[in-house]
Amino acid sequence: MAKDTQVAVVMVPFLAQGHLGQLLHLSRLISSYNIPVHYVSSTTHICQASSRHQGWDLLAHDNIHIHEFPIPAFQCPAPDPNAKIKYPTQLQPAFDASIYLREPVHKLLTSLSASARRVVIIHDHLMSLVVQDFVSLPNAESYIFQSSNAFFFYSFYWYLAGRPSSPDEDMLQQLPSTEGCFTTESMAFWNKQEIHLKNSSGELYNTSRAIEGHYFDLLHELHVHKKQWAIGPFNPVDIFEKPDQQRHECLKWLDNQASDSVIYVSFGTTTSLSDEQILAIAVGLENSGQKFIWVLRDADKGDIFTEDVRKSDLPMGYEDRILEAGQGMIVRDWAPQLEILAHASTGGFMSHCGWNSCLESMSMGVPIATWPMHSDQPRNAVLITKVLKLGIVVKDWTPGNDLVESVHIENAVKELIASKEGDEIRKRAVALRNDMKKSVAEGGVSRLELDSFIEHIRRSN
């Protein structure tokens, strides 16, 4: 493609699973406009993103170019299941090591700058240090990828702005504190990125006006000088069907269950639960009498391909008993979450409320039993339960590692899967799913925002 017509896009995700996956999904969307996309990360994290990729065929998109850069080895401690703060401190050494991507990323940008009319960098806000050298290139510009939702960022910036008058002031005053959501080290890492954010040309959000247009408008009022686009969900709303021999065993188990009868239980890639809490979940799920798939795995380490992963113990005979009874299935490895949520038998999701999981659940019409652990998750849970009314509360946010008793888990499962209230929530979830599907279709609000962004980066001046 000639230099005067080409736009090259470079994706620079943060080194955590929820971020890696979101920008890989966005790569698919942008490449569909016949724009070459260069997805970059460390060798380890490229392997991680590729091995866990789901929902569409990466190999079918020859316009997505994967660049894996070696970085010095980093030593990460094992996750601490008994830590008072659930933020994944074990990943901090990997996050800190991301700075070693700065030089190879700059070399790639320089190379692309010589052959492209414009180089567009889309980077996680936590990778601003890595991409900072783009300012030396005359035809490069950057856009911040905000990995959470407009509701969270509006509440955050509203507080920083001195809590100005807002139509949602009553709710904002009642939001859970961010105390215990982050560590001192993680905030210091965030602050190092802040100085470089001023060089960006706009922000991209993995959200949709179909979900939270009101809060996106309020956020724009606080940041009226910034260009912002709500182009989510990035994940596909219709799932790529794999051949039967490539399907995960849990999907085959789901094939034999009734519609909306199964609760999917997973707390993401950054949460480690104590042995006592795992026992309470096991008892609560079994005593609920409801069908379930439980992804029981420890939090990610900095390198997920190293050995010595903690395997949590369950009561003697528990796994065999629930499987033989047809009540449930324990998954110890990586689970195809999008495919599980898209399955007709899945009727609920007990979740930590990471934004990626929330979006995937909403786009598949599955209500959520909320159990936030850290970061943006407490406020995501409020959005789900109080604003959108798409879920129930398993545990309200507290900044400590409080035990949730088995009877509480049992009651939450029954309420979501086997109650009139749960049925009503499910109807709202399905209605929102339909709205989200319309939003990403041609002429939909998210598609129009994506079209607008593409037109913007293709502009002639």
Side-chain angles (χ1 to χ4, degrees):
M1 192 178 293
K3 182 177 179 178
D4 64 346
T5 60
Q6 185 185 34
V7 173
V9 171
V10 179
M11 295 283 180
V12 188
F14 184 52
L15 306 186
Q17 181 59 40
H19 301 246
L20 293 165
Q22 288 191 71
L23 284 190
L24 195 53
H25 285 317
L26 181 58
S27 298
R28 172 185 66 95
L29 295 178
I30 291 180
S31 71
S32 70
Y33 288 80
N34 199 29
I35 294 175
V37 178
H38 301 264
Y39 182 93
V40 307
S41 193
S42 77
T43 300
T44 294
H45 292 91
I46 288 293
C47 291
Q48 176 176 326
S50 300
S51 66
R52 292 176 169 181
H53 173 67
Q54 57 178 316
W56 51 280
D57 186 1
L58 178 59
L59 297 178
H61 293 258
D62 57 9
N63 222 13
I64 299 176
H65 309 280
I66 305 295
H67 301 263
E68 52 182 85
F69 298 124
I71 61 175
F74 46 85
Q75 296 297 319
C76 291
D80 181 3
N82 299 305
K84 183 176 181 181
I85 293 179
K86 285 297 183 184
Y87 185 88
T89 56
Q90 78 279 0
L91 296 180
Q92 193 62 50
F95 300 160
D96 293 337
S98 66
I99 190 59
Y100 291 104
L101 290 170
R102 178 181 175 183
E103 183 178 350
V105 166
H106 180 52
K107 286 182 178 178
L108 174 63
L109 296 178
T110 301
S111 173
L112 292 172
S113 175
S115 59
R117 181 171 58 85
R118 177 175 292 119
V119 178
V120 173
I121 303 110
I122 299 175
H123 65 94
D124 198 292
H125 73 291
L126 292 172
M127 298 295 277
S128 301
L129 269 170
V130 170
V131 305
Q132 61 180 292
D133 299 309
F134 83 89
V135 295
S136 67
L137 302 173
N139 58 340
E141 56 194 37
S142 81
Y143 297 84
I144 301 166
F145 162 57
Q146 298 288 19
S147 59
S148 194
N149 53 75
F151 177 78
F152 171 78
F153 280 107
Y154 174 66
S155 68
F156 179 76
Y157 289 122
W158 174 81
Y159 184 83
L160 289 182
R163 295 184 283 189
S165 177
S166 168
D168 290 59
E169 192 166 344
D170 288 345
M171 173 172 287
L172 291 167
Q173 297 282 12
Q174 299 174 45
L175 285 176
S177 166
T178 57
E179 179 188 354
C181 290
F182 304 95
T183 62
T184 302
E185 293 77 12
S186 66
M187 292 304 298
F189 182 84
W190 189 91
N191 288 333
K192 288 178 183 177
Q193 317 292 324
E194 187 73 7
I195 188 173
H196 302 289
L197 296 177
K198 68 180 185 297
N199 296 320
S200 75
S201 298
E203 297 180 343
L204 301 177
Y205 286 80
N206 188 6
T207 190
S208 171
R209 290 182 177 275
I211 304 170
E212 48 168 359
H214 170 66
Y215 290 102
F216 200 73
D217 288 340
L218 290 176
L219 182 64
H220 182 68
E221 288 178 14
L222 286 180
H223 289 161
V224 71
H225 60 289
K226 288 188 177 181
K227 290 185 171 65
Q228 297 175 322
W229 293 269
I231 57 180
F234 295 172
N235 62 268
V237 295
D238 295 301
I239 301 304
F240 169 73
E241 286 291 335
K242 294 179 180 177
D244 194 59
Q245 64 270 24
Q246 295 180 18
R247 295 177 76 221
H248 195 282
E249 286 300 314
C250 70
L251 298 172
K252 299 173 185 177
W253 183 84
L254 280 170
D255 290 343
N256 297 316
Q257 312 307 318
S259 179
D260 295 330
S261 66
V262 177
I263 188 164
Y264 168 58
V265 182
S266 176
F267 300 105
T269 56
T270 61
T271 300
S272 289
L273 298 173
S274 68
D275 292 338
E276 187 180 16
Q277 187 62 79
I278 288 169
L279 176 60
I281 294 172
V283 173
L285 289 174
E286 186 172 24
N287 288 349
S288 74
Q290 305 305 309
K291 302 292 184 73
F292 64 90
I293 287 179
W294 180 11
V295 178
L296 178 55
R297 54 186 304 278
D298 216 22
D300 282 351
K301 295 187 292 182
D303 184 345
I304 66 168
F305 301 104
T306 57
E307 298 178 359
D308 301 325
V309 177
R310 166 181 171 241
K311 183 177 180 180
S312 304
D313 291 328
L314 289 170
M316 183 71 70
Y318 181 89
E319 292 186 62
D320 291 338
R321 183 171 68 250
I322 61 156
L323 192 58
E324 289 172 7
Q327 185 185 358
M329 185 176 186
I330 308 295
V331 177
R332 296 278 190 171
D333 55 2
W334 177 254
Q337 180 163 292
L338 263 177
E339 295 171 50
I340 293 171
L341 292 170
H343 201 287
S345 296
T346 304
F349 181 13
M350 187 178 292
S351 173
H352 62 303
C353 297
W355 183 237
N356 207 32
S357 289
C358 290
L359 264 183
E360 290 179 354
S361 198
M362 287 188 285
S363 61
M364 300 304 161
V366 177
I368 303 173
T370 64
W371 188 339
M373 302 289 177
H374 61 79
S375 301
D376 59 340
Q377 297 164 17
R379 295 191 181 183
N380 295 347
V382 172
L383 175 65
I384 293 295
T385 56
K386 294 186 178 179
V387 178
L388 300 175
K389 301 187 187 306
L390 298 176
I392 63 167
V393 175
V394 178
K395 180 182 182 294
D396 280 316
W397 169 246
T398 53
N401 190 6
D402 303 330
L403 178 72
V404 180
E405 301 288 350
S406 61
V407 66
H408 193 70
I409 295 164
E410 173 188 345
N411 291 337
V413 173
K414 288 178 179 176
E415 182 179 357
L416 192 62
I417 299 296
S419 76
K420 184 176 180 180
E421 181 183 358
D423 290 340
E424 291 301 314
I425 295 172
R426 218 163 353 264
K427 288 178 183 177
R428 289 194 290 272
V430 170
L432 180 59
R433 176 200 66 191
N434 294 339
D435 289 342
M436 290 175 71
K437 283 193 172 190
K438 291 176 184 176
S439 78
V440 298
E442 188 172 352
V445 288
S446 291
R447 178 64 176 274
L448 289 174
E449 295 245 340
L450 179 56
D451 289 344
S452 170
F453 176 69
I454 297 299
E455 182 180 358
H456 173 73
I457 63 175
R458 277 178 165 165
R459 70 193 185 277
S460 59
N461 60 333

